[in-house]
Amino acid sequence: MTQKGYSQKSLRKKVYDFIREQMNDGKLLPGSLLNLQETSSRLGISMTPLREALVQLETEGFVTIIPRRGVVINTLTLTRIRQMYRVIGALEAAALEDVYQSLTEGDIERLQDLNRKMREDLEKGEMEEYMSLNRTFHNTWLGRCGNEELFRIAQLMKDRLYEFPRNVDLVPEWEEVSMAEHETIVECLLQKDLEGAVYYLRDVHWCFNTQEAFVRKYYAKHLERLDHMRKDAVELTL
């Protein structure tokens, strides 16, 4: 055991969870430098578990460690978003193929119900719940495929796309199209058309070229929000 009875592993997780929470809440913004001494002092830990947590975060794509300069919170570029869309599409398609034979009528009815609830939440402006239901919809196959690495990578990439900081400034017309795509995927499953469902999931729903106009609009709003957050942070320090 190490500091205050924590194991080295639990200390690393404590730091890891803290930094991700700070990014999620917008307290560590993309492009900003992480103050290592301040973080170490705030958590009451040595630099060793902090460095270990940062190595993990760098491996997952959240930060970049620059020798002798510090740690930078990564920003998203259209190139990176394009790459992640392709990977997520491939992973989700593989997961759907793996679980297809085990999907029941009840599972498909649940997908339909989730999509209906998403539409209701969108109409009511309940964006947090909408995003949660959207994850649940896709986790119908991701969470049941039995491939822990596939699931982990897909979730991390979605976190990078939507959670740091969390962006609930959705583009309503994009969400309408997304739910219509969900309906097409579900209809393919109802018709026992696995090939069609996989194609629509990978080559339409997660196709960057198909979604690019919406992606640009979504992240334009996201960047505007980040600019406001940076200005607010500067004003608080004055």
Side-chain angles (χ1 to χ4, degrees), residues 97-109:
E97 288 176 327
D98 286 347
V99 306
Y100 174 70
Q101 294 297 335
S102 67
L103 290 177
T104 65
E105 290 184 6
D107 291 324
I108 296 174
E109 288 175 1

Side-chain angles (χ1 to χ4, degrees), residues 51-187:
R51 292 193 185 98
E52 290 175 349
L54 290 171
V55 168
Q56 181 178 349
L57 287 163
E58 183 176 47
T59 300
E60 295 172 351
F62 292 106
V63 305
T64 296
I65 300 172
I66 305 175
R68 295 183 296 279
R69 287 187 57 191
V71 177
V72 178
I73 309 302
N74 286 341
T75 58
L76 277 176
T77 64
L78 280 177
T79 297
R80 182 62 62 85
I81 294 169
R82 180 191 296 273
Q83 292 168 348
M84 286 195 283
Y85 262 63
R86 185 169 186 179
V87 173
I88 294 171
L91 293 176
E92 288 214 18
L96 181 55
E97 288 176 327
D98 286 347
V99 306
Y100 174 70
Q101 294 297 335
S102 67
L103 290 177
T104 65
E105 290 184 6
D107 291 324
I108 296 174
E109 288 175 1
R110 183 167 177 266
L111 287 170
Q112 292 173 315
D113 188 49
L114 285 167
N115 214 38
R116 280 194 295 269
K117 289 179 179 176
M118 285 172 62
R119 189 174 299 281
E120 292 171 3
D121 286 331
L122 186 65
E123 291 172 354
K124 291 186 289 187
E126 295 180 358
M127 300 311 185
E128 293 276 1
E129 183 62 21
Y130 172 89
M131 293 175 71
S132 176
L133 289 174
N134 191 28
R135 282 264 185 140
T136 302
F137 182 95
H138 287 265
N139 283 347
T140 300
W141 44 84
L142 281 171
R144 290 171 53 180
C145 69
N147 188 325
E148 293 181 4
E149 278 300 293
L150 185 155
F151 181 78
R152 182 184 68 83
I153 293 169
Q155 298 306 311
L156 283 171
M157 286 193 170
K158 290 181 181 184
D159 286 348
R160 286 281 290 118
L161 286 172
Y162 307 121
E163 300 290 337
F164 292 94
R166 169 162 287 200
N167 184 13
V168 293
D169 296 325
L170 304 182
V171 179
E173 57 267 35
W174 190 13
E175 306 313 324
E176 290 288 349
V177 169
S178 179
M179 287 183 290
E181 291 166 359
H182 284 180
E183 290 171 0
T184 300
I185 293 166
V186 171
E187 183 60 30

Side-chain angles (χ1 to χ4, degrees), residues 18-39:
F18 171 78
I19 294 174
R20 282 196 53 160
E21 182 180 341
Q22 293 284 294
M23 289 190 288
N24 187 34
D25 293 343
K27 295 173 183 176
L28 284 174
L29 294 174
S32 64
L33 280 169
L34 177 64
N35 188 317
L36 302 187
Q37 289 294 341
E38 180 182 303
T39 303

